[in-house]
Every structure is written in C-alpha cells, then in structure tokens.
Amino acid sequence: MNALTVIFLTAVAACSGAQLPWYPGLYGAHPGLHSWYRSGLPLMPQPTMRSMAPVPMTYNMAPFASMAPIHSQYGAQNEFGQYSFGYNAGLSARNEMRDAFGNVQGSFNYVDANGKVQTQQYVADALGFRVSGTNLPEAPAPAVPQYTPEVASARAAHQAAHSEAAAAAAATPATQ
C-alpha cells in the first residue's frame, strides 16, 4: 500500500475520534440529537442532569500538520535497468531517471520552514556525485592579486630579461 495512503488514513482515524456518537463532547451528551437515542437502546449510560453552574468546555487537541494531496505521480522501468519516477505533491516535487549506462539524474524541491521554495538538482555518473541547490553555500569569488609597485617593477624587469634572452637564442644559429 502506498505509504502516503497509510499516513493519510491514520491521520483521518486519529482526527475522527470527536465524531463518535458516544463521545461526550459538544453533541454527544444531548439526547435526541442522534438516531441511536431515539431507538431506545442507548449505547452508553445516560448522563444524569444536575442543576449546576455552566462550565465552559475545553478540548485538548494535538496540533497536526495538514497534508497536501498528491496531485500526480508516475513510474516506469524496463529490462535494461532504465527507470524514471516522480511525483508532484503541491508543496514538494521530485523526479529521477536512470539510463542503461547507470547514469542517474534528478531533482526535487520543497518549501522550507521560512516559506521559501528550495530546489536541488543532482547527477551521479562516471564523474561522481554532483549536486547543486538553492540552499547550498557558494564559495566566494577568487580575489585577483594586487601587486605592490616593487613587485610590479620586478615582474616587468623579469619579463624584459626573458624576452631579451629568447630573442638572443633565436638570433644565434643552432650548432650541431
């Protein structure tokens, strides 16, 4: 069974406890509102009514995260080892494919805690595993060295000497 289906059914079962007819919540303690009270066969002992001051009812409900429904999903595989699969679930999506040579590439995205969409793309092939993403740190740009005046003049003198030596070597005939 699909794991998301199991999670969804578990969440529905957990949240439906307040809808049971014997639940002494907002409507459960009032006879006549449910058909099983009218049948004469109560499923629970009838509450005794006392004249007391009204007490506000409180409920302790566990917080829950709403699940985004899966809008689409797909999957395919063949005898050569190629496959592709993916899904789109509203707040997240993923796709991946593998070719017959074992190269895998894919991407996924999700909404982070700050409400920003994060996207990652990855490739696994003969060059290794490579990933790029919107939430990965980037290295700073390499700094171009700035030479001091002394170093700049020494480099120029060295370049001039090198050019002079290369011209002299080209002017002399090669002896064998």
Side-chain angles (χ1 to χ4, degrees):
M1 185 182 277
N2 190 343
L4 291 174
T5 304
V6 171
I7 292 170
F8 176 75
L9 292 176
T10 304
V12 168
C15 294
S16 65
Q19 299 174 4
L20 299 174
W22 55 85
Y23 180 76
L26 187 60
Y27 298 112
H30 299 285
L33 293 179
H34 295 291
S35 61
W36 56 271
Y37 273 112
R38 284 187 240 125
S39 69
L41 300 171
L43 297 178
M44 63 173 243
Q46 295 294 326
T48 58
M49 301 299 224
R50 297 181 188 154
S51 59
M52 298 172 69
V55 177
M57 299 177 77
T58 60
Y59 293 97
N60 294 329
M61 295 181 59
F64 66 95
S66 62
M67 294 174 36
I70 294 179
H71 296 292
S72 65
Q73 64 182 4
Y74 66 93
Q77 184 175 359
N78 66 11
E79 62 274 3
F80 301 114
Q82 299 173 333
Y83 67 82
S84 66
F85 67 89
Y87 69 89
N88 179 359
L91 297 178
S92 66
R94 179 176 182 202
N95 63 26
E96 181 176 300
M97 62 179 283
R98 178 180 188 255
D99 63 13
F101 301 107
N103 302 320
V104 177
Q105 65 181 6
S107 67
F108 61 94
N109 61 15
Y110 61 94
V111 178
D112 67 3
N114 298 324
K116 183 178 177 187
V117 176
Q118 301 291 343
T119 302
Q120 281 72 33
Q121 297 175 343
Y122 56 92
V123 175
D125 56 10
L127 300 175
F129 183 78
R130 299 177 309 277
V131 64
S132 64
T134 56
N135 62 346
L136 298 177
E138 293 183 19
V144 178
Q146 299 295 324
Y147 298 117
T148 62
E150 295 85 12
V151 172
S153 65
R155 287 175 57 89
H158 177 74
Q159 183 63 40
H162 185 271
S163 299
E164 184 180 317
T172 59
T175 57
Q176 295 187 8

